[in-house]
Coordinates of all heavy atoms in Angstrom, one line a residue:
M24 N 0.8 -1.2 0.0 CA 0.0 0.0 0.0 C 0.9 1.3 0.0 O 0.5 2.2 -0.7 CB -0.9 0.0 1.2 CG -1.9 1.1 1.3 SD -3.1 0.9 0.0 CE -4.2 2.2 0.3
G25 N 1.9 1.3 0.7 CA 2.8 2.4 0.8 C 3.4 2.8 -0.5 O 3.4 4.0 -0.9
P26 N 4.0 1.9 -1.2 CA 4.6 2.2 -2.5 C 3.6 2.7 -3.5 O 3.9 3.6 -4.4 CB 5.2 0.9 -3.0 CG 5.5 0.2 -1.8 CD 4.4 0.5 -0.8
I27 N 2.3 2.3 -3.4 CA 1.3 2.7 -4.3 C 1.0 4.2 -4.0 O 0.8 5.0 -4.9 CB 0.0 1.9 -4.2 CG1 0.3 0.5 -4.7 CG2 -1.2 2.5 -4.9 CD1 -0.8 -0.5 -4.4
L28 N 0.9 4.6 -2.7 CA 0.7 6.0 -2.4 C 1.8 6.9 -2.8 O 1.6 8.0 -3.3 CB 0.5 6.1 -0.8 CG -0.8 5.5 -0.3 CD1 -0.7 5.5 1.2 CD2 -2.0 6.2 -0.8
I29 N 3.1 6.4 -2.7 CA 4.2 7.2 -3.2 C 4.1 7.3 -4.7 O 4.4 8.4 -5.2 CB 5.5 6.5 -2.7 CG1 5.6 6.6 -1.2 CG2 6.7 7.2 -3.4 CD1 6.8 5.8 -0.6
L30 N 3.8 6.3 -5.4 CA 3.6 6.4 -6.9 C 2.5 7.4 -7.3 O 2.7 8.1 -8.2 CB 3.3 5.0 -7.4 CG 3.1 4.9 -9.0 CD1 4.4 5.3 -9.7 CD2 2.6 3.6 -9.4
V31 N 1.4 7.4 -6.5 CA 0.4 8.4 -6.8 C 0.9 9.8 -6.6 O 0.6 10.7 -7.4 CB -0.9 8.1 -6.0 CG1 -1.9 9.2 -6.1 CG2 -1.5 6.8 -6.4
G32 N 1.7 10.0 -5.6 CA 2.3 11.3 -5.3 C 3.2 11.7 -6.5 O 3.2 12.9 -6.9
I33 N 4.0 10.8 -7.0 CA 4.8 11.1 -8.1 C 4.0 11.4 -9.4 O 4.3 12.4 -10.1 CB 5.8 9.9 -8.4 CG1 6.8 9.8 -7.3 CG2 6.5 10.1 -9.8 CD1 7.6 8.5 -7.4
L34 N 2.9 10.7 -9.6 CA 2.0 11.0 -10.7 C 1.4 12.4 -10.6 O 1.2 13.1 -11.6 CB 0.9 9.9 -10.8 CG 1.4 8.6 -11.3 CD1 0.2 7.5 -11.2 CD2 1.9 8.7 -12.7
C35 N 1.0 12.7 -9.4 CA 0.4 14.1 -9.2 C 1.4 15.2 -9.5 O 1.0 16.2 -10.2 CB -0.1 14.2 -7.7 SG -1.6 13.4 -7.3
L36 N 2.6 15.0 -9.1 CA 3.7 16.0 -9.5 C 3.9 16.0 -11.0 O 4.1 17.1 -11.6 CB 5.0 15.7 -8.7 CG 5.1 16.2 -7.3 CD1 6.4 15.9 -6.7 CD2 4.9 17.7 -7.2
G37 N 3.9 14.9 -11.6 CA 4.1 14.8 -13.0 C 3.0 15.5 -13.8 O 3.3 16.2 -14.8
I38 N 1.8 15.2 -13.4 CA 0.6 15.9 -14.0 C 0.7 17.4 -13.8 O 0.4 18.1 -14.8 CB -0.7 15.3 -13.5 CG1 -0.8 13.8 -14.0 CG2 -1.9 16.1 -14.0 CD1 -1.9 13.1 -13.3
S39 N 1.0 17.8 -12.6 CA 1.1 19.2 -12.4 C 2.2 19.9 -13.3 O 2.0 21.0 -13.8 CB 1.5 19.5 -10.9 OG 1.7 20.8 -10.7
T40 N 3.3 19.2 -13.5 CA 4.4 19.7 -14.3 C 3.9 19.7 -15.8 O 4.2 20.7 -16.5 CB 5.6 18.9 -14.2 OG1 6.0 18.9 -12.8 CG2 6.8 19.4 -15.0
M41 N 3.2 18.7 -16.2 CA 2.8 18.6 -17.6 C 1.8 19.7 -18.0 O 1.8 20.2 -19.1 CB 2.2 17.2 -17.9 CG 3.3 16.2 -18.0 SD 2.7 14.5 -18.2 CE 1.3 14.6 -19.3
I42 N 0.9 20.0 -17.0 CA -0.1 21.0 -17.3 C 0.6 22.4 -17.4 O 0.2 23.2 -18.2 CB -1.2 21.0 -16.2 CG1 -2.0 19.7 -16.4 CG2 -2.1 22.2 -16.3 CD1 -3.1 19.5 -15.3
G43 N 1.5 22.6 -16.5 CA 2.3 23.8 -16.6 C 1.6 25.1 -16.0 O 0.5 25.0 -15.4
S44 N 2.2 26.2 -16.2 CA 1.7 27.5 -15.7 C 2.0 28.5 -16.8 O 2.8 28.4 -17.6 CB 2.4 27.8 -14.4 OG 3.8 28.0 -14.6
T45 N 1.2 29.6 -16.6 CA 1.4 30.7 -17.6 C 1.4 32.0 -16.8 O 1.0 32.1 -15.6 CB 0.2 30.8 -18.6 OG1 -1.0 30.9 -17.8 CG2 0.1 29.6 -19.4
I46 N 1.9 33.1 -17.4 CA 1.9 34.4 -16.8 C 1.0 35.3 -17.6 O 1.1 35.4 -18.8 CB 3.3 35.0 -16.7 CG1 4.2 34.1 -15.9 CG2 3.3 36.4 -16.2 CD1 5.7 34.5 -15.9
D47 N 0.0 35.9 -16.9 CA -1.0 36.7 -17.6 C -0.4 38.1 -17.9 O 0.7 38.4 -17.5 CB -2.3 36.8 -16.9 CG -2.3 37.4 -15.6 OD1 -1.2 38.0 -15.2 OD2 -3.3 37.4 -14.9
A48 N -1.2 39.0 -18.5 CA -0.8 40.3 -18.8 C -0.4 41.2 -17.6 O 0.4 42.1 -17.7 CB -1.8 41.0 -19.7
N49 N -1.0 40.9 -16.5 CA -0.7 41.7 -15.3 C 0.5 41.2 -14.5 O 0.9 41.7 -13.5 CB -1.9 41.7 -14.4 CG -3.1 42.4 -15.0 OD1 -2.9 43.3 -15.7 ND2 -4.3 41.9 -14.7
G50 N 1.1 40.1 -15.0 CA 2.3 39.5 -14.3 C 1.9 38.5 -13.3 O 2.8 38.0 -12.5
F51 N 0.7 38.0 -13.2 CA 0.3 37.0 -12.2 C 0.5 35.6 -12.8 O 0.3 35.4 -14.0 CB -1.2 37.1 -11.8 CG -1.5 38.3 -10.9 CD1 -2.1 39.4 -11.5 CD2 -1.1 38.3 -9.6 CE1 -2.3 40.5 -10.7 CE2 -1.3 39.4 -8.8 CZ -2.0 40.5 -9.4
V52 N 1.0 34.7 -12.0 CA 1.2 33.3 -12.4 C -0.1 32.6 -12.3 O -0.8 32.6 -11.3 CB 2.3 32.6 -11.6 CG1 2.4 31.2 -12.0 CG2 3.6 33.3 -11.7
R53 N -0.5 32.0 -13.4 CA -1.8 31.2 -13.5 C -1.3 29.7 -13.6 O -0.7 29.3 -14.5 CB -2.6 31.5 -14.7 CG -3.0 33.0 -14.7 CD -4.1 33.2 -13.7 NE -4.4 34.7 -13.7 CZ -5.1 35.2 -12.8 NH1 -5.4 34.5 -11.7 NH2 -5.4 36.5 -12.8
E54 N -1.6 29.0 -12.5 CA -1.3 27.6 -12.4 C -2.5 26.8 -12.1 O -2.9 26.7 -11.0 CB -0.2 27.4 -11.4 CG 0.5 26.1 -11.5 CD 1.7 26.0 -10.6 OE1 2.2 27.0 -10.1 OE2 2.3 24.9 -10.6
P55 N -3.2 26.3 -13.2 CA -4.5 25.6 -13.0 C -4.4 24.3 -12.1 O -5.4 23.9 -11.5 CB -4.9 25.3 -14.4 CG -3.8 25.4 -15.3 CD -2.8 26.3 -14.6
A56 N -3.3 23.7 -12.1 CA -3.1 22.4 -11.3 C -2.3 22.6 -10.0 O -1.7 21.7 -9.6 CB -2.5 21.3 -12.2
F57 N -2.4 23.8 -9.4 CA -1.6 24.0 -8.2 C -2.0 23.1 -7.1 O -1.1 22.7 -6.3 CB -1.7 25.5 -7.8 CG -1.0 25.8 -6.5 CD1 0.4 25.9 -6.6 CD2 -1.7 25.9 -5.3 CE1 1.1 26.2 -5.4 CE2 -1.0 26.2 -4.2 CZ 0.4 26.3 -4.2
F58 N -3.3 22.7 -7.0 CA -3.7 21.9 -5.9 C -3.0 20.5 -5.9 O -3.0 19.9 -4.9 CB -5.2 21.7 -6.0 CG -5.7 20.9 -7.2 CD1 -5.9 19.5 -7.0 CD2 -5.9 21.4 -8.4 CE1 -6.3 18.7 -8.1 CE2 -6.3 20.7 -9.5 CZ -6.5 19.3 -9.3
L59 N -2.5 20.1 -7.0 CA -1.8 18.8 -7.1 C -0.5 18.8 -6.3 O 0.0 17.7 -5.9 CB -1.6 18.4 -8.5 CG -2.8 18.0 -9.3 CD1 -2.5 17.7 -10.8 CD2 -3.5 16.8 -8.7
I60 N 0.1 19.9 -6.1 CA 1.4 20.0 -5.4 C 1.2 19.6 -3.9 O 1.9 18.7 -3.4 CB 2.1 21.3 -5.6 CG1 2.4 21.6 -7.0 CG2 3.3 21.4 -4.7 CD1 2.9 22.9 -7.4
P61 N 0.3 20.2 -3.1 CA 0.1 19.8 -1.8 C -0.5 18.4 -1.7 O -0.2 17.6 -0.7 CB -0.8 20.8 -1.1 CG -1.3 21.6 -2.2 CD -0.4 21.4 -3.4
V62 N -1.3 18.0 -2.6 CA -1.9 16.7 -2.6 C -0.8 15.6 -2.8 O -0.8 14.6 -2.1 CB -3.0 16.5 -3.7 CG1 -3.4 15.1 -3.9 CG2 -4.2 17.4 -3.4
S63 N 0.2 15.9 -3.7 CA 1.3 15.0 -3.9 C 2.1 14.8 -2.6 O 2.5 13.7 -2.3 CB 2.1 15.4 -5.1 OG 2.8 16.6 -4.8
C64 N 2.3 15.9 -1.9 CA 3.0 15.9 -0.6 C 2.3 15.0 0.4 O 2.9 14.2 1.1 CB 3.2 17.3 0.0 SG 4.4 18.3 -0.9
L65 N 1.0 15.1 0.4 CA 0.2 14.3 1.3 C 0.3 12.8 1.0 O 0.5 12.0 1.9 CB -1.3 14.7 1.3 CG -1.6 16.0 2.0 CD1 -3.1 16.4 1.7 CD2 -1.3 16.0 3.4
F66 N 0.3 12.5 -0.3 CA 0.5 11.1 -0.7 C 1.9 10.6 -0.4 O 2.0 9.5 0.0 CB 0.2 10.9 -2.2 CG -1.3 10.8 -2.6 CD1 -1.9 11.8 -3.4 CD2 -2.0 9.8 -2.1 CE1 -3.2 11.6 -3.7 CE2 -3.4 9.6 -2.4 CZ -4.0 10.6 -3.2
F67 N 2.9 11.4 -0.6 CA 4.3 11.0 -0.2 C 4.3 10.7 1.2 O 4.8 9.6 1.6 CB 5.3 12.1 -0.5 CG 5.7 12.2 -2.0 CD1 5.7 13.5 -2.6 CD2 6.0 11.1 -2.7 CE1 6.1 13.6 -3.9 CE2 6.4 11.2 -4.0 CZ 6.4 12.5 -4.6
F68 N 3.9 11.6 2.1 CA 4.0 11.4 3.5 C 3.1 10.2 4.0 O 3.6 9.4 4.8 CB 3.6 12.6 4.3 CG 4.6 13.8 4.2 CD1 4.2 15.0 3.8 CD2 5.9 13.5 4.4 CE1 5.1 16.1 3.7 CE2 6.9 14.5 4.3 CZ 6.4 15.8 3.9
A69 N 1.9 10.0 3.4 CA 1.1 8.9 3.8 C 1.8 7.6 3.3 O 1.7 6.6 4.1 CB -0.3 9.0 3.1
G70 N 2.4 7.6 2.2 CA 3.1 6.4 1.7 C 4.3 6.1 2.6 O 4.6 4.9 2.9
I71 N 5.1 7.1 3.0 CA 6.2 6.8 3.8 C 5.8 6.3 5.2 O 6.4 5.4 5.7 CB 7.1 8.1 4.0 CG1 7.7 8.4 2.6 CG2 8.1 8.0 5.1 CD1 8.4 9.8 2.5
I72 N 4.8 7.0 5.8 CA 4.3 6.5 7.1 C 3.7 5.1 7.0 O 4.0 4.3 7.9 CB 3.2 7.5 7.6 CG1 3.7 8.9 7.8 CG2 2.5 7.0 8.9 CD1 4.6 9.1 9.0
T73 N 3.0 4.8 6.0 CA 2.4 3.5 5.8 C 3.5 2.4 5.7 O 3.4 1.3 6.3 CB 1.5 3.4 4.6 OG1 0.5 4.4 4.8 CG2 0.8 2.1 4.4
T74 N 4.5 2.7 4.8 CA 5.6 1.8 4.6 C 6.4 1.6 6.0 O 6.7 0.4 6.3 CB 6.6 2.3 3.6 OG1 5.8 2.5 2.4 CG2 7.7 1.4 3.3
I75 N 6.6 2.6 6.7 CA 7.4 2.4 8.0 C 6.5 1.6 9.0 O 7.0 0.7 9.6 CB 7.7 3.8 8.6 CG1 8.8 4.5 7.7 CG2 8.1 3.7 10.0 CD1 9.1 5.9 8.1
F76 N 5.2 1.9 9.0 CA 4.3 1.2 9.9 C 4.3 -0.3 9.7 O 4.4 -1.1 10.5 CB 2.9 1.9 9.9 CG 1.9 1.2 10.8 CD1 1.9 1.3 12.1 CD2 1.0 0.3 10.2 CE1 1.0 0.7 12.9 CE2 0.1 -0.3 11.0 CZ 0.1 -0.2 12.4
F77 N 4.0 -0.6 8.4 CA 3.9 -2.0 8.0 C 5.3 -2.7 8.1 O 5.3 -3.9 8.5 CB 3.3 -2.2 6.7 CG 1.8 -2.0 6.7 CD1 1.2 -1.0 6.0 CD2 1.0 -2.8 7.4 CE1 -0.2 -0.8 6.0 CE2 -0.4 -2.6 7.5 CZ -1.0 -1.6 6.8
S78 N 6.3 -2.0 7.8 CA 7.7 -2.7 8.0 C 8.0 -2.9 9.4 O 8.5 -4.0 9.8 CB 8.7 -1.8 7.4 OG 8.5 -1.6 6.0
A79 N 7.6 -2.0 10.3 CA 7.8 -2.2 11.7 C 7.0 -3.3 12.3 O 7.4 -4.2 13.1 CB 7.5 -0.9 12.5
K80 N 5.8 -3.4 11.7 CA 4.8 -4.5 12.2 C 5.4 -5.9 11.8 O 5.3 -6.8 12.5 CB 3.5 -4.2 11.5 CG 2.4 -5.1 12.0 CD 1.0 -4.6 11.4 CE -0.1 -5.5 11.9 NZ -1.4 -5.1 11.3
V81 N 5.9 -6.0 10.6 CA 6.5 -7.2 10.1 C 7.8 -7.6 10.9 O 8.0 -8.7 11.3 CB 6.9 -7.2 8.6 CG1 7.7 -8.3 8.2 CG2 5.6 -7.1 7.8
L82 N 8.6 -6.6 11.2 CA 9.8 -6.9 12.0 C 9.5 -7.2 13.5 O 10.2 -8.0 14.1 CB 10.7 -5.6 12.0 CG 11.4 -5.3 10.7 CD1 12.1 -4.0 10.7 CD2 12.3 -6.5 10.3
M83 N 8.4 -6.7 14.0 CA 8.0 -7.1 15.4 C 7.5 -8.5 15.5 O 7.6 -9.1 16.5 CB 6.9 -6.1 15.9 CG 7.3 -4.7 16.0 SD 8.4 -4.6 17.4 CE 8.4 -2.9 17.7
K84 N 6.9 -9.0 14.4 CA 6.4 -10.4 14.4 C 7.6 -11.4 14.4 O 7.4 -12.5 14.9 CB 5.5 -10.7 13.2 CG 4.2 -10.0 13.3 CD 3.3 -10.5 12.2 CE 1.9 -9.9 12.3 NZ 1.0 -10.2 11.2
K85 N 8.8 -11.0 13.9 CA 9.9 -12.0 13.9 C 10.5 -12.2 15.2 O 10.6 -11.8 16.1 CB 10.9 -11.5 12.9 CG 10.4 -11.6 11.5 CD 11.5 -11.2 10.5 CE 11.0 -11.4 9.1 NZ 12.1 -11.1 8.1

């Protein structure tokens, strides 16, 4: 489960990069997929925590 969450985080960053950003006439940055950046961070952290938790659980059983 953990590696899948990390992979989804990587996909979110990739999609955000592919969509890109533009600068309008007033000099403001328009980034339509900005929400994917914090979402990808959440997936990364959730994947890391899940991987650590399940790895520790497996090591405790031994």
